[in-house]
């Protein structure tokens, strides 16, 4: 049955219904691609593809579309898994401080250099710091013993994220002008496309982690019922939890390394997709991936046209949308507990 907050176990919607909705969601992707190619700072329209500059503009807009789909899919899928594992409708990488830790690692990699890892250096460094941050949040929130509460996790995430932000500010203040500009623009959320090689590496990370999480979807369905129920079903809850958290952290770290500190995508989209497709993670994981990419592409389109020719960082748009949404969910969470 559906709970008061819309996140407890409910009757799974029929597969034919979900198939039709999935087709509609997939059909929206080409439309978003066309919108992304048409929108520019000077208005709506395709540039002259017969000129070198026109082809460069098309390539730039196509790169932004790919970046938006990859980053949005990674953040949304990561948020879906965090909410399932923690059984907490407020869980998402930005709120739990994972994005802050990944941001610190990415900032260090940007200012110091990728090192011997080359193009993979940025996401790998971001992933390492994100994992350390996740364990730090859990350690702080669980000092009283037992499973950390919703509010202790949120408070711990805010504390750790604030510490990471302070360290990033220190690094920025001691960097040269070029490094300071790069990190500051990146921190606000930036979908300016990197090289196609970097995007290909990010695609490999995101696709591999997403497929692995989709294969874990039946186990995630059981975990949402509680660890005791998972034990009765013969599920090794500890192994599934650790594996899922690491995969979700890899997704968040890769997204942060590509697009910067873009918040609330992992909060908004999983809730919307859960309302459309139901709680079955076999549907919810891929739907969140496509929905997250579509949402971020739309936010990027708004960022480009609202104050054209001035471009608003896409992280500002998602924060403006996500802040009120977070308050609504928090208010409902205070009224209806996940567990009675």
């Amino acid at each position: 049955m559906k709970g008061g907050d819309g996140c407890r176990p409910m009757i799974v919607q029929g597969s034919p219904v979900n198939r039709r909705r999935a087709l509609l969601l997939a059909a929206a992707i080409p439309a978003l691609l066309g919108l992304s190619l048409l929108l520019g700072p000077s208005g709506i329209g395709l540039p002259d593809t017969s000129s070198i500059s026109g082809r460069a503009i098309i390539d730039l807009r196509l790169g932004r579309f790919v970046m938006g789909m990859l980053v949005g899919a990674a953040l949304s899928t990561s948020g879906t898994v965090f909410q399932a594992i923690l059984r907490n409708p407020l869980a998402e990488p930005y709120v739990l401080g994972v994005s802050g830790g990944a941001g610190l690692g990415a900032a260090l990699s940007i200012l110091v250099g990728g090192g011997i890892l080359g193009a993979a250096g940025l996401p790998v460094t971001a992933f390492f710091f994100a994992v350390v941050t996740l364990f730090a949040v859990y350690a702080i929130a669980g000092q009283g013993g037992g499973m950390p509460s919703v509010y202790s996790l949120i408070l711990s995430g805010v504390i750790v994220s604030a510490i990471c932000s302070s360290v990033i500010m220190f690094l920025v203040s001691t960097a040269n002008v070029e490094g300071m500009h790069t990190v500051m623009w990146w921190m606000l959320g930036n979908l300016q496309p990197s090289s196609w090689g970097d995007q290909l590496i990010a695609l490999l990370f995101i696709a591999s982690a997403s497929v692995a999480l989709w294969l874990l979807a039946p186990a995630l369905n059981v975990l949402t019922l509680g660890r005791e129920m998972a034990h009765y079903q013969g599920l090794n809850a500890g192994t599934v939890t650790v594996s899922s958290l690491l995969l979700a952290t890899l997704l968040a770290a890769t997204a942060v390394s590509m697009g910067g500190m873009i918040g609330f995508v992992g909060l908004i989209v999983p809730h919307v997709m859960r309302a459309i497709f139901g709680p079955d993670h076999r549907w919810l994981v891929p739907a969140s991936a496509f929905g997250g990419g579509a949402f971020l592409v739309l936010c990027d389109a708004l960022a480009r046209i609202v104050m054209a020719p001035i471009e608003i960082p896409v992280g500002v748009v998602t924060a403006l949308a996500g802040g009120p949404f977070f308050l609504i969910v928090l208010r409902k969470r205070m009224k209806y507990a996940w567990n009675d």
Side-chain angles (χ1 to χ4, degrees), residues 69-70 73-74 77 199-215 247 250-251 254 258 285 289:
M69 289 299 300
L70 288 176
T77 305
Q199 292 184 46
L200 178 59
I201 291 175
L203 174 62
L204 292 176
F205 282 133
I206 293 171
S208 300
S210 298
V211 170
L213 287 170
W214 180 73
L215 293 175
L247 288 169
L250 175 61
L251 286 174
T254 305
M258 291 180 66
V285 169

Side-chain angles (χ1 to χ4, degrees), residues 84-112:
I85 294 297
L86 302 178
R87 304 181 69 214
N88 174 5
L90 297 173
E92 72 111 14
Y94 193 80
V95 175
L96 292 177
V98 173
S99 292
L104 175 57
L108 280 172
S109 184
I110 290 172
L111 295 174
V112 177

Side-chain angles (χ1 to χ4, degrees), residues 6-68:
C7 295
R8 286 182 290 178
M10 63 182 77
I11 298 174
V12 179
Q13 300 178 13
S15 294
V17 176
N18 278 349
R19 287 194 188 98
R20 288 194 294 270
R21 292 172 177 173
L23 288 174
L24 288 175
L25 181 61
I29 304 302
L32 288 171
L33 172 58
L35 180 66
S36 184
L37 292 176
L38 285 172
L39 289 178
S42 57
I44 300 177
L46 284 172
D48 182 13
T49 55
S50 62
S51 64
I52 296 177
S53 60
R55 289 193 294 271
I57 292 173
I58 288 292
D59 190 59
L60 180 66
R61 293 180 183 178
L62 179 62
R64 290 188 72 132
F65 172 80
V66 173
M67 286 281 288

Side-chain angles (χ1 to χ4, degrees), residues 15-326:
S15 294
V17 176
N18 278 349
R19 287 194 188 98
R20 288 194 294 270
R21 292 172 177 173
L23 288 174
L24 288 175
L25 181 61
I29 304 302
L32 288 171
L33 172 58
L35 180 66
S36 184
L37 292 176
L38 285 172
L39 289 178
S42 57
I44 300 177
L46 284 172
D48 182 13
T49 55
S50 62
S51 64
I52 296 177
S53 60
R55 289 193 294 271
I57 292 173
I58 288 292
D59 190 59
L60 180 66
R61 293 180 183 178
L62 179 62
R64 290 188 72 132
F65 172 80
V66 173
M67 286 281 288
M69 289 299 300
L70 288 176
V71 173
L75 290 175
S76 180
T77 305
S78 177
T80 299
V81 174
F82 278 127
Q83 290 171 17
I85 294 297
L86 302 178
R87 304 181 69 214
N88 174 5
L90 297 173
E92 72 111 14
Y94 193 80
V95 175
L96 292 177
V98 173
S99 292
L104 175 57
L108 280 172
S109 184
I110 290 172
L111 295 174
V112 177
I116 60 175
L117 295 176
L122 192 59
V124 168
T125 307
F127 173 65
F128 173 77
F129 277 83
V131 170
V132 172
T133 302
L134 180 64
F135 281 114
V137 169
Y138 249 86
I140 296 172
Q143 284 185 349
M147 187 70 177
S149 69
V150 172
Y151 304 106
S152 62
L153 280 171
I154 293 174
L155 289 174
S156 301
V158 170
I159 293 169
V160 174
S161 183
I163 294 173
C164 293
S165 297
S166 299
V167 177
I168 292 174
M169 289 297 100
F170 170 76
L171 293 174
V172 169
S173 65
T174 57
N176 56 37
V177 175
E178 182 181 355
M180 179 178 65
H181 175 77
T182 301
V183 174
M184 287 300 296
W185 182 251
W186 166 85
M187 283 179 61
L188 294 173
N190 175 30
L191 293 183
Q192 291 289 350
S194 54
S195 69
W196 288 107
D198 291 346
Q199 292 184 46
L200 178 59
I201 291 175
L203 174 62
L204 292 176
F205 282 133
I206 293 171
S208 300
S210 298
V211 170
L213 287 170
W214 180 73
L215 293 175
L216 289 172
L220 293 175
N221 288 337
V222 177
L223 277 179
T224 56
L225 302 176
R227 286 177 171 267
E228 186 176 353
M229 180 63 72
H231 175 73
Y232 291 144
Q233 294 289 330
L235 182 71
N236 190 334
T239 301
V240 174
T241 299
V242 172
S243 301
S244 299
L245 286 177
L246 288 176
L247 288 169
T249 303
L250 175 61
L251 286 174
T254 305
V256 170
S257 68
M258 291 180 66
M261 307 289 284
I262 301 174
F264 298 109
V265 177
L267 176 69
I268 298 174
V269 178
H271 279 275
V272 174
M273 292 298 109
R274 188 180 288 110
I276 295 174
F277 290 92
D280 188 349
H281 287 83
R282 292 173 297 179
W283 288 99
L284 190 55
V285 169
S288 294
F290 280 100
F295 173 73
L296 195 55
V297 169
L298 280 176
C299 288
D300 182 52
L302 285 175
R304 280 188 276 171
I305 64 174
V306 168
M307 295 183 65
I310 300 173
E311 181 180 326
I312 304 172
V314 69
V316 174
V317 178
T318 60
L320 289 174
F325 190 90
F326 179 83

